[in-house]
Each structure stands twice: as structure tokens, then as C-alpha cells.
Amino acid sequence: MEPTGPGRWRYVVAGLLAAAALAVLGVALVGWGRNLASLGQQLQRVSVPGEAHVELPEAGTYAVFHEYHTVLDGQPVANPSQLPGLRLSVTAPDDPAIRLPVETLDGPGRGYRIDGRRGVAGWHVEVSEPGQYRLRTSYPPDAQGPQAVLALGLGIDDQLEDATVWLVTGIIGFVILATSAAVIFVLTLFRRRLGLRHSARRTPVPEA
């Protein structure tokens, strides 16, 4: 007995929506992963405290991250996310008097997790002339801090934002499509069963 109510084609619609939800989430995760992988390749890492030469190939605002979960000289490093008192300066390689503007962020900035590495932004460096510079870091004389790793790169904040947009958009799209699929499936199942009961009640009982 064929029940009255919605046709079976609605199950097909629900299935297509569920498949689309998984596809949207998959695409979003791929885009998110690619953004983070690209970000990880662009970062230059230096050990602190101390000094190192860094190549700043373009003008712009460079973000400097404290990579508090990372690898240093082949050994895993796990530090607190903040480095209280760490002083940072960026100067011309042959003239310490030429200093780049360095902004210390109030509180932790944007962060990332890439291949087991975790970093949080602590400084911004303004570069007007591309080239090689010397990055110096030190703790105050009356304080001792841990051996740590800084990572710096250009446009990192934008890439982190793009990665977040990919992920959030994918999750929202997945939730909307998956919820629609579930609602259509449940309503179709309920109405078809209800129609089956009504059809059974209307079927005349044959006389003996």
C-alpha cells in the first residue's frame, strides 16, 4: 500500500543536501589547511635572546610571533605564551643607529597552530625599505627568560584572517545544509508514516 504524503523523491533531496554539506566542509578544510601551510612556509624563525640577520624582502607591516610550542635545535620547546620583559629591536645590519619602528602589542595578538607549532603575535615591525636587517632581543639585566623562538612574516594577520574565514564559512555552510537535509528527511519520514496510517484506516475490511 502506497502511503499518502510526500513522495520518496524528497529523500533524494535530503541525501543531495547532506552530500553538499560534506563537500562544502571538505573544501573549507582544504582552503583553511592551504592557508596555514602557506603561512608556515613564509615565516622566518630566530632563536632568542640574541641577534640574527633577517631578510625583509618587501615593505609593509611584519608580525613577530612568539612560537611558544616549537622545535629548537631538534628539541621540542614548550614555553609560556608570553615572554615578559623581552626587548626587541630591528636595525640596519651595519648601523645600529638606523632602527625600524617596533610596536609591542598590548596583550597577545592573533595566534596560529601549524604542524604542532603554536605561536602568538607580540610585535609589529614597520618596514619602509626592503633589505637585510639585524634583529636583536634581550631580557632586562635583572630578569632571566627562557630560550625561545620568534617567527616573523609579512601579511600574516591577513593570512590568518583568510584561514579563519575559510573555516567559519565552511562550518556555517555545513550546519545549514546538514540541518536542512535532516529536517527534510525527518518531515518526509513522519508524513509518509502518518499517511500510511490514514490509508490503513480508510481501507475497508472485507466481510466474512
Side-chain angles (χ1 to χ4, degrees):
M1 179 179 358
E2 181 68 23
T4 61
R8 289 192 178 94
W9 63 269
R10 295 199 178 189
Y11 290 134
V12 176
V13 172
L16 291 175
L17 286 174
L22 292 175
V24 167
L25 183 60
V27 170
L29 289 175
V30 169
W32 174 70
R34 285 181 176 175
N35 271 274
L36 290 183
S38 174
L39 183 151
Q41 294 171 0
Q42 294 178 26
L43 291 172
Q44 298 182 64
R45 294 177 172 87
V46 298
S47 174
V48 301
E51 63 178 61
H53 286 89
V54 292
E55 192 69 34
L56 306 180
E58 299 179 42
T61 301
Y62 286 74
V64 182
F65 296 84
H66 169 216
E67 206 164 77
Y68 57 95
H69 279 198
T70 186
V71 176
L72 180 62
D73 296 329
Q75 299 297 320
V77 174
N79 287 323
S81 60
Q82 300 299 303
L83 295 174
L86 182 68
R87 299 168 178 173
L88 184 148
S89 65
V90 182
T91 64
D94 52 358
D95 189 353
I98 301 177
R99 290 175 171 262
L100 298 184
V102 176
E103 175 192 2
T104 301
L105 302 183
D106 294 329
R110 290 181 180 272
Y112 62 81
R113 296 185 180 186
I114 308 171
D115 297 332
R117 300 175 185 264
R118 300 181 186 180
V120 61
W123 303 266
H124 283 159
V125 179
E126 292 293 337
V127 177
S128 57
E129 293 291 336
Q132 190 179 77
Y133 290 88
R134 180 171 293 174
L135 188 149
R136 289 186 173 91
T137 53
S138 63
Y139 292 105
D142 58 345
Q144 288 186 347
Q147 190 79 10
V149 174
L150 298 186
L152 68 159
L154 177 65
I156 302 302
D157 287 343
D158 291 339
Q159 290 188 48
L160 287 172
E161 186 174 342
D162 290 344
T164 302
V165 169
W166 271 104
L167 185 60
V168 171
T169 301
I171 292 175
I172 292 175
F174 172 80
V175 170
I176 292 174
L177 291 171
T179 301
S180 300
V183 169
I184 292 174
F185 179 85
V186 171
L187 288 179
T188 301
L189 181 64
F190 174 77
R191 289 177 179 176
R192 285 181 64 83
R193 287 188 175 180
L194 190 62
L196 181 61
R197 292 178 183 175
H198 289 169
S199 298
R201 291 175 183 174
R202 291 197 300 267
T203 301
V205 179
E207 296 181 358

